[in-house]
Amino acid sequence: MRFRHPDGSTVHLAYCTNVHPAETLDGVLAQLRDHCEPVRRRLGRDRLGIGLWLARDAARALVTDPAALRGLRGELDRRGLEVVTLNGFPYEGFGAEEVKYRVYRPDWADPERLGHTTALARVLAGLLPDDVTEGSISTLPLAWRTAYDDARADRARAALTTLAERLDALHDLTGRSIRVGLEPEPGCVVETTADALAPLTAIAHDRIGVCVDTCHLATSFEDPHTALDALADARVPVVKSQLSAALHAEHPHRPEVRAALAAFAEPRFLHQTRACPPPGPVRAGEGPAAGLLGTDDLDEALAGGALPDTAPWRAHFHVPLHAAPAAPLTSTLPVLKAALTRLVGGPHPLTRHLEVETYTWQALPPELRPRARAQLADGIAAELALARDLLTDLGLKELP
């Protein structure tokens, strides 16, 4: 979906296909037929943007076979779909029964991450629509925080510098500008936008920036305006933003709240949980999440004593944008709205690539899960419709 910003530029809205498990190119092609095109039809659109997730094997097949890449591009066109952004965070196995910590491997200290991201950039350059010259890729925020020492940090910095050089060369070769954004996530080396400032200013390249995921932003209790102002002041580009909402519990000490949270503790994905930090000024050099207490997963938080329960909790669980969980829980949709206002509501957009990323539909409590393919398509279409309405309320005009 495309929108005209009041400044005349085009803002793209897509939904991320990591909600549909597929490891191979054949699986990706099946996604387009079985999921993406039906979502487009429900929205009554001739064209729908999708944020492709290409696992290692699918990316390798495309980058080594020009005919396969042309075939995918043709299939996108035939089904009324377009791609300007890729999700390069998960490497493989995102559809496994248990993902948890595996999603953070390989990290940016491992050569496989550089190779995979380079392949994704080359593929994206070949998938961009004829009238689009800019693409974006979201990626792992360096590494999970444990076992990340100075030597691994040096290797990660060198890899990102090499990536920037390769992106420059790709632009010279194809005329397509591909940018990559580190996606801050709780528990990672780069947990907050503030954590991204030092490594990215050290690289200081306009093709390497940040992907702002509004679920992660909210989980770490970051204020959107403060976070985005700090990125702008540091001249760190917002490469893309993933529009998502976290799980919010206002009164975690209450038994009924803890019971409701327990229904979202599940074995597939990691649901980092954070307690609201105490009020007070943020010290110089520290991000909005300074002093934040948290656990690596929701069940750890519920075990008792791990987190103070006298202040609100937020859990990294991507809940559907249009359907907040039932009381006594809610979602962080207000944080998403505030971030979107800052991202595209000003005189010029801070980013032109937006992606709805609710990959946890099948991890929801059983009574909330879609039971058929059609129900999933209905839910994704409803999320995109909500995002569309938020954009038009900010003064953007939906384009055909």
Side-chain angles (χ1 to χ4, degrees), residues 94-133:
F94 201 60
E97 291 185 3
E98 182 176 334
V99 178
K100 297 291 184 181
Y101 294 95
R102 289 173 52 191
V103 76
Y104 306 105
R105 299 191 299 266
D107 65 34
W108 272 101
D110 299 317
E112 295 86 355
R113 178 61 64 172
L114 173 60
H116 178 60
T117 310
T118 301
L120 292 178
R122 291 173 59 191
V123 168
L124 182 55
L127 292 180
L128 289 178
D130 291 340
D131 61 343
V132 175
T133 60

Coordinates of all heavy atoms in Angstrom, one line a residue, residues 94-133:
F94 N 12.4 -20.1 11.7 CA 11.5 -19.2 12.5 C 10.1 -19.9 12.6 O 9.3 -19.5 13.4 CB 11.3 -17.9 11.8 CG 10.8 -16.8 12.7 CD1 11.5 -16.4 13.8 CD2 9.6 -16.1 12.4 CE1 11.0 -15.4 14.6 CE2 9.1 -15.1 13.2 CZ 9.8 -14.8 14.3
G95 N 9.8 -20.9 11.8 CA 8.6 -21.6 11.9 C 8.7 -22.9 12.8 O 7.8 -23.7 12.9
A96 N 9.8 -23.1 13.5 CA 10.0 -24.3 14.3 C 9.1 -24.2 15.5 O 8.6 -23.2 15.9 CB 11.5 -24.3 14.8
E97 N 8.9 -25.4 16.1 CA 8.1 -25.5 17.3 C 8.6 -24.7 18.5 O 7.9 -24.2 19.3 CB 7.9 -27.0 17.7 CG 7.0 -27.7 16.7 CD 6.7 -29.1 17.2 OE1 7.1 -29.5 18.3 OE2 6.1 -29.9 16.4
E98 N 10.0 -24.6 18.5 CA 10.6 -23.8 19.6 C 11.7 -22.9 18.9 O 12.6 -23.5 18.4 CB 11.2 -24.6 20.7 CG 11.8 -23.8 21.8 CD 12.4 -24.6 22.9 OE1 11.9 -25.7 23.2 OE2 13.3 -24.1 23.6
V99 N 11.5 -21.6 19.0 CA 12.5 -20.7 18.4 C 13.3 -20.1 19.5 O 14.6 -20.2 19.5 CB 11.7 -19.6 17.6 CG1 12.8 -18.6 17.0 CG2 10.9 -20.2 16.5
K100 N 12.7 -19.4 20.4 CA 13.4 -18.8 21.6 C 14.7 -18.1 21.2 O 14.7 -17.3 20.3 CB 13.6 -19.9 22.7 CG 12.3 -20.5 23.2 CD 11.5 -19.5 24.1 CE 10.3 -20.2 24.7 NZ 9.5 -19.3 25.5
Y101 N 15.8 -18.6 21.8 CA 17.1 -17.9 21.7 C 17.7 -18.2 20.3 O 18.6 -17.5 19.9 CB 18.1 -18.3 22.7 CG 17.7 -17.9 24.1 CD1 17.0 -18.8 25.0 CD2 18.1 -16.6 24.6 CE1 16.7 -18.4 26.3 CE2 17.7 -16.3 25.9 CZ 17.0 -17.1 26.7 OH 16.7 -16.7 28.0
R102 N 17.2 -19.2 19.6 CA 17.8 -19.5 18.3 C 17.7 -18.4 17.3 O 18.5 -18.3 16.3 CB 17.1 -20.7 17.7 CG 17.4 -22.0 18.4 CD 16.5 -23.2 17.9 NE 16.6 -23.3 16.4 CZ 15.7 -24.0 15.7 NH1 14.8 -24.7 16.3 NH2 15.9 -24.1 14.4
V103 N 16.7 -17.5 17.4 CA 16.5 -16.4 16.5 C 17.7 -15.4 16.4 O 17.8 -14.7 15.5 CB 15.2 -15.7 16.8 CG1 15.3 -14.8 17.9 CG2 14.7 -14.9 15.5
Y104 N 18.5 -15.4 17.5 CA 19.6 -14.5 17.6 C 20.9 -15.1 17.0 O 22.0 -14.4 17.1 CB 19.8 -14.1 19.0 CG 18.6 -13.5 19.6 CD1 17.9 -14.3 20.6 CD2 18.1 -12.3 19.3 CE1 16.7 -13.8 21.1 CE2 16.9 -11.8 19.8 CZ 16.2 -12.6 20.7 OH 15.0 -12.1 21.3
R105 N 20.8 -16.2 16.4 CA 22.0 -16.9 15.8 C 21.8 -17.1 14.3 O 20.7 -17.5 13.9 CB 22.3 -18.2 16.4 CG 22.6 -18.1 17.9 CD 23.2 -19.4 18.5 NE 22.3 -20.5 18.4 CZ 21.4 -20.9 19.3 NH1 21.4 -20.2 20.4 NH2 20.6 -21.9 19.1
P106 N 22.8 -16.8 13.5 CA 24.1 -16.3 13.8 C 24.0 -14.8 14.0 O 23.1 -14.1 13.5 CB 25.0 -16.5 12.5 CG 23.9 -16.5 11.4 CD 22.7 -17.2 12.0
D107 N 24.9 -14.2 14.8 CA 24.9 -12.8 15.1 C 25.9 -12.1 14.2 O 26.5 -12.7 13.3 CB 25.0 -12.5 16.6 CG 26.4 -12.9 17.1 OD1 27.4 -12.8 16.4 OD2 26.5 -13.3 18.3
W108 N 26.1 -10.8 14.4 CA 26.9 -10.0 13.5 C 28.4 -10.2 13.7 O 29.2 -9.7 12.9 CB 26.6 -8.5 13.6 CG 25.4 -8.2 12.7 CD1 24.1 -8.0 13.0 CD2 25.6 -8.0 11.3 NE1 23.4 -7.7 11.9 CE2 24.3 -7.7 10.8 CE3 26.6 -8.1 10.4 CZ2 24.0 -7.5 9.4 CZ3 26.4 -7.9 9.0 CH2 25.1 -7.6 8.6
A109 N 28.8 -11.0 14.7 CA 30.2 -11.4 14.8 C 30.5 -12.7 14.0 O 31.6 -13.1 13.9 CB 30.5 -11.7 16.3
D110 N 29.4 -13.3 13.5 CA 29.6 -14.5 12.7 C 29.5 -14.2 11.2 O 28.6 -13.4 10.8 CB 28.5 -15.5 13.0 CG 28.5 -15.9 14.5 OD1 29.6 -16.2 15.0 OD2 27.4 -16.0 15.1
P111 N 30.4 -14.8 10.4 CA 30.4 -14.4 9.0 C 29.2 -14.8 8.3 O 28.8 -14.1 7.2 CB 31.6 -15.2 8.5 CG 31.9 -16.3 9.5 CD 31.5 -15.7 10.8
E112 N 28.4 -15.7 8.8 CA 27.1 -16.1 8.1 C 26.1 -15.0 8.1 O 25.4 -14.8 7.1 CB 26.5 -17.3 8.8 CG 27.3 -18.6 8.7 CD 28.3 -18.8 9.8 OE1 28.5 -17.8 10.6 OE2 29.0 -19.8 9.8
R113 N 26.2 -14.1 9.1 CA 25.2 -13.0 9.1 C 25.5 -12.0 8.0 O 24.6 -11.5 7.3 CB 25.2 -12.4 10.5 CG 24.3 -11.2 10.6 CD 22.9 -11.5 10.4 NE 22.3 -12.4 11.4 CZ 21.0 -12.7 11.5 NH1 20.1 -12.1 10.7 NH2 20.6 -13.6 12.4
L114 N 26.8 -11.7 7.8 CA 27.2 -10.8 6.7 C 26.8 -11.3 5.4 O 26.3 -10.7 4.5 CB 28.7 -10.4 6.8 CG 29.2 -9.6 5.7 CD1 28.6 -8.3 5.6 CD2 30.7 -9.5 5.9
G115 N 27.1 -12.6 5.2 CA 26.9 -13.2 3.9 C 25.4 -13.3 3.6 O 24.9 -13.0 2.5
H116 N 24.6 -13.6 4.6 CA 23.1 -13.7 4.4 C 22.5 -12.3 4.1 O 21.7 -12.1 3.2 CB 22.5 -14.2 5.7 CG 21.0 -14.3 5.6 ND1 20.3 -15.0 4.7 CD2 20.0 -13.8 6.4 CE1 19.0 -14.9 4.9 NE2 18.8 -14.2 5.9
T117 N 23.0 -11.3 4.8 CA 22.4 -9.9 4.6 C 22.9 -9.4 3.3 O 22.1 -8.7 2.6 CB 22.9 -9.0 5.8 OG1 22.6 -9.6 7.0 CG2 22.1 -7.7 5.7
T118 N 24.1 -9.7 2.9 CA 24.5 -9.3 1.5 C 23.6 -9.9 0.5 O 23.2 -9.2 -0.5 CB 26.0 -9.7 1.3 OG1 26.8 -9.0 2.3 CG2 26.5 -9.2 -0.1
A119 N 23.3 -11.2 0.6 CA 22.5 -11.9 -0.3 C 21.1 -11.2 -0.4 O 20.5 -11.0 -1.4 CB 22.4 -13.4 0.0
L120 N 20.6 -10.9 0.8 CA 19.2 -10.3 0.9 C 19.2 -8.9 0.1 O 18.3 -8.6 -0.6 CB 18.8 -10.1 2.3 CG 18.5 -11.3 3.1 CD1 18.1 -10.9 4.6 CD2 17.4 -12.1 2.5
A121 N 20.3 -8.2 0.3 CA 20.4 -6.9 -0.4 C 20.4 -7.0 -1.9 O 19.7 -6.3 -2.6 CB 21.6 -6.1 0.1
R122 N 21.1 -8.0 -2.4 CA 21.2 -8.3 -3.8 C 19.8 -8.7 -4.3 O 19.4 -8.3 -5.4 CB 22.2 -9.3 -4.1 CG 23.7 -8.8 -3.9 CD 24.7 -9.9 -4.0 NE 24.6 -10.6 -5.4 CZ 25.3 -11.7 -5.7 NH1 26.0 -12.3 -4.7 NH2 25.2 -12.2 -6.9
V123 N 19.1 -9.6 -3.6 CA 17.8 -10.0 -4.0 C 16.8 -8.9 -4.0 O 16.0 -8.7 -5.0 CB 17.3 -11.1 -3.0 CG1 15.8 -11.4 -3.2 CG2 18.1 -12.4 -3.2
L124 N 16.9 -8.0 -3.0 CA 15.9 -6.9 -2.9 C 16.1 -5.9 -4.0 O 15.1 -5.4 -4.6 CB 16.1 -6.2 -1.5 CG 15.1 -5.0 -1.3 CD1 13.7 -5.4 -1.5 CD2 15.4 -4.4 0.1
A125 N 17.4 -5.7 -4.4 CA 17.6 -4.8 -5.6 C 16.9 -5.3 -6.8 O 16.5 -4.5 -7.7 CB 19.1 -4.7 -5.8
G126 N 16.8 -6.7 -6.9 CA 16.1 -7.2 -8.1 C 14.6 -7.3 -8.0 O 13.9 -7.5 -9.0
L127 N 14.1 -7.1 -6.8 CA 12.6 -7.2 -6.5 C 11.9 -5.9 -6.5 O 10.7 -5.8 -6.6 CB 12.4 -8.0 -5.2 CG 12.7 -9.5 -5.1 CD1 12.4 -10.0 -3.8 CD2 12.0 -10.3 -6.2
L128 N 12.7 -4.8 -6.3 CA 12.0 -3.5 -6.2 C 11.2 -3.2 -7.4 O 11.6 -3.5 -8.5 CB 13.1 -2.4 -6.0 CG 13.8 -2.3 -4.7 CD1 14.9 -1.2 -4.7 CD2 12.9 -2.1 -3.5
P129 N 10.0 -2.6 -7.2 CA 9.2 -2.2 -8.4 C 10.0 -1.2 -9.3 O 11.0 -0.6 -8.8 CB 8.0 -1.5 -7.7 CG 7.9 -2.0 -6.4 CD 9.4 -2.3 -6.0
D130 N 9.6 -1.2 -10.5 CA 10.4 -0.4 -11.5 C 10.5 1.1 -11.1 O 11.4 1.8 -11.5 CB 9.7 -0.5 -12.9 CG 9.9 -1.9 -13.5 OD1 10.8 -2.6 -13.0 OD2 9.1 -2.3 -14.4
D131 N 9.4 1.6 -10.4 CA 9.4 3.0 -10.1 C 9.9 3.3 -8.7 O 9.7 4.4 -8.2 CB 8.0 3.6 -10.2 CG 7.0 2.9 -9.3 OD1 7.3 1.8 -8.8 OD2 5.9 3.5 -9.1
V132 N 10.6 2.3 -8.1 CA 11.1 2.5 -6.7 C 12.6 2.2 -6.7 O 13.1 1.2 -7.3 CB 10.4 1.5 -5.7 CG1 11.1 1.6 -4.3 CG2 9.0 1.8 -5.6
T133 N 13.4 3.1 -6.1 CA 14.9 3.0 -6.1 C 15.4 2.7 -4.7 O 16.6 2.5 -4.6 CB 15.5 4.2 -6.7 OG1 15.2 5.4 -5.9 CG2 15.1 4.4 -8.2

